[in-house]
Amino acid sequence: MFGEIMSWLHDWQQQIHRNFLTDDAVSLLLHGFQNTLVIFFFGVIWAFVLASFLTYLNINKKWQWLYRPLQWFVATIHDVPAVVLMMFFYYVVFSASMNGVVVSIIALGVYTSGSLSRMFKIHIDQVGKEQ
């Protein structure tokens, strides 16, 4: 019994060392963290631009014909989990022909823009017409 526990602990120690402490593992972790920061930074910018555009279409009454289908599209996409949406964009929309980081930025920007657009509209409506 004691030998099995020691063997398991030794195997576990080797796996931790191989997965987190070798040079390849550290470089992979740092590269993944860098990609995450890039996706976050540019995804926020893309979501803000897209949400501002959707809010403008919603406020301007002559563009309602364009706003309705876009709002339906964004509301539908917002009901899908983000990871599934990124996979859908990568494998179906772009057919794996683009860089995964760029596709993630596009997918997460579209995913987040619906909520941002609603928040922008609510806050704009709170301001009176005379202001």
Side-chain angles (χ1 to χ4, degrees):
M1 175 75 177
F2 183 72
E4 291 176 13
I5 292 174
M6 290 306 290
S7 174
W8 180 80
L9 284 175
H10 181 68
D11 291 343
W12 185 67
Q13 179 187 13
Q14 287 179 339
Q15 289 174 0
I16 293 293
H17 184 349
R18 184 185 70 229
N19 292 335
F20 293 108
L21 302 176
T22 61
D23 291 338
D24 292 339
V26 171
S27 69
L28 284 174
L29 288 171
L30 290 176
H31 186 68
F33 183 68
Q34 178 187 6
N35 283 345
T36 301
L37 290 177
V38 167
I39 291 168
F40 168 74
F41 181 73
F42 289 108
V44 165
I45 293 171
W46 171 239
F48 185 80
V49 167
L50 191 57
S52 299
F53 178 69
L54 285 171
T55 305
Y56 174 75
L57 291 179
N58 189 9
I59 291 172
N60 196 341
K61 298 302 179 195
K62 68 179 181 179
W63 293 101
Q64 288 293 317
W65 63 272
L66 183 60
Y67 171 75
R68 298 281 181 216
L70 286 175
Q71 184 62 25
W72 174 83
F73 175 73
V74 170
T76 303
I77 281 186
H78 194 67
D79 291 338
V80 176
V83 174
V84 173
L85 183 66
M86 285 189 290
M87 288 174 51
F88 177 77
F89 269 56
Y90 185 74
Y91 289 112
V92 177
V93 175
F94 295 109
S95 300
S97 62
M98 288 181 67
N99 184 357
V101 173
V102 175
V103 173
S104 296
I105 290 169
I106 293 170
L108 289 176
V110 170
Y111 180 79
T112 308
S113 66
S115 298
L116 277 177
S117 176
R118 289 186 203 115
M119 284 187 247
F120 290 168
K121 178 72 168 105
I122 289 169
H123 287 90
I124 289 172
D125 287 343
Q126 294 297 318
V127 178
K129 296 285 185 197
E130 63 278 354
Q131 295 179 358

